[in-house]
Amino acid sequence: MITYSFIFLAVLAVASALMMVISKNTVNSALFLVFNMMSLAGLFLLLQAQFLAVIQILVYAGAIMVLFLFVIMLLNVDEEQSLFNKLRLKYFVAFLLGVSVFAQILYSIGSFSDTLPMISSKMAEVGTVEAVGDVLYTKYLLPFHIIAMLLTAAMNGALMIAQHKVRTEDNK
Amino acid sequence: MIGIDWFLALSALLFCIGIVGVLIRKNAIVIFMCVELMLNAVNLSLVSFSSHYGNIDGQILVFFSLAIAAAEAVVGLAIIIAIFRNNLSVDISNINLLRW
């Protein structure tokens, strides 16, 4: 059962990622990315990381993608022409690079795959909200607060960068 | 039962799709989404290692990387908006102010 759901979710994730890269409409790309996030959340559930699965949907598919869609609609980007109208050398080189990086990673995984762990027996108790929260508020308390400050700083920075300078007559 | 190596291979595949997307697309927003895809792929491998070793630190790292990704998305989209306002396009081949 777990094997079948893994295959289903993996095919869904890879297909939506590919469609995101090749679809020429930006809004469609964003929606395919949401699809991809959803299937990754399903994979997290398979790995018994319930907390991260919920956070993945809430933060990524909820907040970040809404931001992306908002910006896409705001900028009113016109459609690019299709990627495959004319075959360019660039696409071929990019594809070759991607395949070679993938082959390298697979080769390095294969060389140590017999030292990789089997499924841990503690797997079910690792990913619960209690377990994550317990570590987060004791061992990782300082990084947690630093992240909070970083988010505030990022929000202020984004407001500063994106604000429109209103030129009125008196402060010119 | 599916082993950890399948999760790692899937994560590598998603990462490489992200790389190819960054290389071939010209729309800055789509490039940005491909970077998010690569971040997610690495998150997947962190979570699978964490679950298979029974150690929670990997999931905490994913939590922090989610927060970093949110901050990065906010600042990056603000920069894209600022570029669009000056340039009236998000096509990266038109953005060549710093290119010599």
Side-chain angles (χ1 to χ4, degrees):
Chain A
M1 185 59 206
I2 289 183
T3 312
Y4 287 127
S5 20
F6 173 79
I7 292 171
F8 177 69
L9 288 169
V11 168
L12 212 65
V14 171
S16 58
L18 280 177
M19 287 302 292
M20 185 197 88
V21 171
I22 64 179
S23 84
K24 59 179 177 178
N25 189 337
T26 317
V27 179
N28 282 355
S29 286
L31 292 178
F32 277 120
L33 186 57
V34 174
F35 222 68
N36 189 39
M37 307 285 183
M38 294 282 189
S39 44
L40 275 181
L43 286 169
F44 286 175
L45 273 185
L46 275 189
L47 288 165
Q48 306 280 350
Q50 297 101 333
F51 175 68
L52 283 179
V54 173
I55 285 294
Q56 173 93 1
I57 290 182
L58 275 182
V59 173
Y60 259 121
I64 295 184
M65 290 321 292
V66 166
L67 197 66
F68 266 100
L69 282 175
F70 208 139
V71 170
I72 291 168
M73 310 268 179
L74 192 70
L75 297 192
N76 193 15
V77 188
D78 28 310
E79 284 192 5
E80 309 179 51
Q81 73 267 39
S82 174
L83 280 175
F84 305 108
N85 271 351
K86 47 185 173 185
L87 277 172
R88 294 213 189 110
L89 185 65
K90 195 179 96 175
Y91 298 157
F92 185 67
V93 172
F95 180 73
L96 216 63
L97 190 78
V99 169
S100 63
V101 171
F102 184 54
Q104 256 180 2
I105 298 175
L106 278 196
Y107 180 73
S108 57
I109 290 175
S111 65
F112 61 82
S113 69
D114 35 330
T115 63
L116 284 176
M118 295 310 288
I119 297 278
S120 163
S121 52
K122 288 196 298 178
M123 194 162 151
E125 65 200 50
V126 163
T128 56
V129 183
E130 290 129 299
V132 174
D134 194 26
V135 183
L136 194 61
Y137 286 107
T138 53
K139 194 176 164 192
Y140 292 97
L141 189 61
L142 183 65
F144 185 71
H145 282 287
I146 293 175
I147 281 288
M149 282 198 290
L150 177 94
L151 282 173
T152 316
M155 192 191 71
N156 288 334
L159 283 177
M160 284 298 294
I161 294 170
Q163 73 176 337
H164 197 61
K165 285 199 191 72
V166 185
R167 291 215 181 93
T168 50
E169 285 299 317
D170 41 287
N171 66 5
K172 196 183 267 183
Chain B
M1 198 67 187
I2 219 136
I4 184 176
D5 39 356
W6 287 99
F7 284 98
L8 294 183
L10 174 66
S11 145
L13 185 57
L14 288 178
F15 189 81
C16 293
I17 292 174
I19 290 179
V20 173
V22 167
L23 288 176
I24 69 175
R25 291 307 296 259
K26 282 190 177 160
N27 189 334
I29 299 177
V30 181
I31 289 177
F32 213 60
M33 289 196 280
C34 291
V35 174
E36 298 283 328
L37 181 68
M38 288 156 77
L39 274 169
N40 262 305
V42 176
N43 282 353
L44 176 63
S45 72
L46 278 174
V47 172
S48 61
F49 271 121
S50 152
S51 291
H52 281 74
Y53 277 106
N55 187 347
I56 197 144
D57 291 349
Q59 297 194 9
I60 302 289
L61 197 56
V62 171
F63 177 80
F64 287 137
S65 105
L66 269 168
I68 297 288
E72 169 244 333
V74 169
V75 174
L77 286 172
I79 291 175
I80 287 177
I81 288 178
I83 288 174
F84 183 81
R85 198 172 279 142
N86 287 324
N87 225 344
L88 288 185
S89 129
V90 286
D91 189 334
I92 53 157
S93 48
N94 293 340
I95 304 169
N96 48 11
L97 195 66
L98 290 181
R99 190 193 275 172
W100 52 282

